[in-house]
Amino acid sequence: MALFGEKYGDEVRVLTMGSDEAAGKDYSVELCGGTHVRRLGDIGLFTILSESAVAGGVRRIDALTSEGARKYLLGQAEIVREASAALKTSAGELPARVAQLSEERRKLERELTEARKQLALGRPSAAPQQAEPKSGDGPALDARIVEGVAAKDLKSLVDSAKAQIGSGVVAFVAVADGKASLVVGVTDDLKDRISAVDLVKLGAEALGGKGGGGRPDMAQAGGPDGAKAQDALDVIGARVKALPPAA
């Protein structure tokens, strides 16, 4: 049969490779328009580097043969030797050792993240903080610039602060590379009176950003001007302080 729409003359070269004695036929029989070797033995060592899809039902295989394959495998063996020496283990135990180190690193990263959260919660707030609600001053407010905390960890940090404050509003800003990330949390007893989404939008505007979103009890936003972090907390604090007392 003709493959891939190729044009064939009256005579077509057919190459066979290997044999399946049980089935009584060759392992592979292919039409070929031209070869680069006289026989399979010329190829010698063969190692596949990668395989990928190039079209529907068509795969591409990148491989090395002969001397190129030998040099490549020698290089890979040297990499394994150096890695084994660095990790003080044998080549056979190298995968398990790498997996162990990866798990240890993930554990340490989790512990470091938790330690940074606890440190941030234990620091004095960068903005005035109301520990207790006072008549005419609105709900309790914990508003601060936190250091050493990644933006992705702000939500869990705000959740912890909400649990500590009991009833009130929490607004935390983290600054990295000159940009600010802001998360605002409102405890469940207050979310019908004031929305975290409204507060975070006020803060985002002060940070030179727009929008922000989330839920009435938790919202996030950001802005390009990290230097205005305190301004964002101040405008949120003023809005919370102006909240009328509960009926």
Side-chain angles (χ1 to χ4, degrees):
M1 65 179 174
L3 303 176
F4 310 117
E6 295 178 356
K7 302 296 183 180
Y8 295 89
D10 293 336
E11 292 185 5
V12 181
R13 176 184 291 156
V14 180
L15 300 179
T16 62
M17 181 179 69
S19 62
D20 186 342
E21 295 181 359
K25 61 181 182 180
D26 294 319
Y27 179 77
S28 175
V29 180
E30 309 289 345
L31 300 179
C32 182
T35 61
H36 301 284
V37 295
R38 292 172 299 172
R39 54 186 175 272
L40 292 177
D42 294 339
I43 296 174
L45 189 62
F46 181 90
T47 183
I48 295 176
L49 301 180
S50 65
E51 68 93 20
S52 58
V54 294
V58 180
R59 308 295 294 182
R60 174 189 175 91
I61 294 177
D62 292 325
L64 295 173
T65 64
S66 190
E67 185 66 10
R70 187 185 71 84
K71 290 180 178 179
Y72 170 78
L73 292 177
L74 286 175
Q76 294 299 295
E78 180 62 17
I79 291 173
V80 170
R81 187 193 67 78
E82 291 179 359
S84 299
L87 297 180
K88 295 180 173 58
T89 188
S90 66
E93 295 176 349
L94 184 59
R97 180 61 174 148
V98 171
Q100 178 188 3
L101 289 174
S102 295
E103 179 56 34
E104 289 176 359
R105 177 177 177 176
R106 285 192 291 268
K107 180 180 178 181
L108 290 172
E109 287 176 344
R110 289 193 296 266
E111 291 176 353
L112 179 59
T113 296
E114 185 60 29
R116 284 174 172 171
K117 290 180 183 178
Q118 295 304 319
L119 181 60
L121 287 175
R123 287 177 178 171
S125 57
Q129 176 183 354
Q130 290 177 224
E132 299 290 340
K134 298 178 181 179
S135 177
D137 287 339
L141 173 66
D142 184 352
R144 65 178 88 181
I145 300 170
V146 293
E147 298 177 1
V149 177
K152 63 183 179 64
D153 297 322
L154 275 181
K155 279 189 174 182
S156 60
L157 187 63
V158 168
D159 267 333
S160 299
K162 284 171 60 179
Q164 288 184 1
I165 205 171
S167 175
V169 176
V170 177
F172 287 170
V173 178
V175 180
D177 299 325
K179 298 179 181 179
S181 297
L182 168 67
V183 174
V184 176
V186 175
T187 55
D188 289 341
D189 61 313
L190 296 174
K191 63 184 182 181
D192 291 334
R193 297 174 57 202
I194 188 167
S195 171
V197 176
D198 294 337
L199 293 175
V200 88
K201 287 181 177 179
L202 286 175
E205 185 175 353
L207 294 169
K210 292 183 179 180
R215 307 184 309 271
D217 63 327
M218 179 77 71
Q220 66 180 30
D225 193 351
K228 297 293 183 64
Q230 186 60 56
D231 293 344
L233 295 177
D234 289 343
V235 73
I236 290 172
R239 176 68 180 85
V240 171
K241 186 175 182 180
L243 188 68

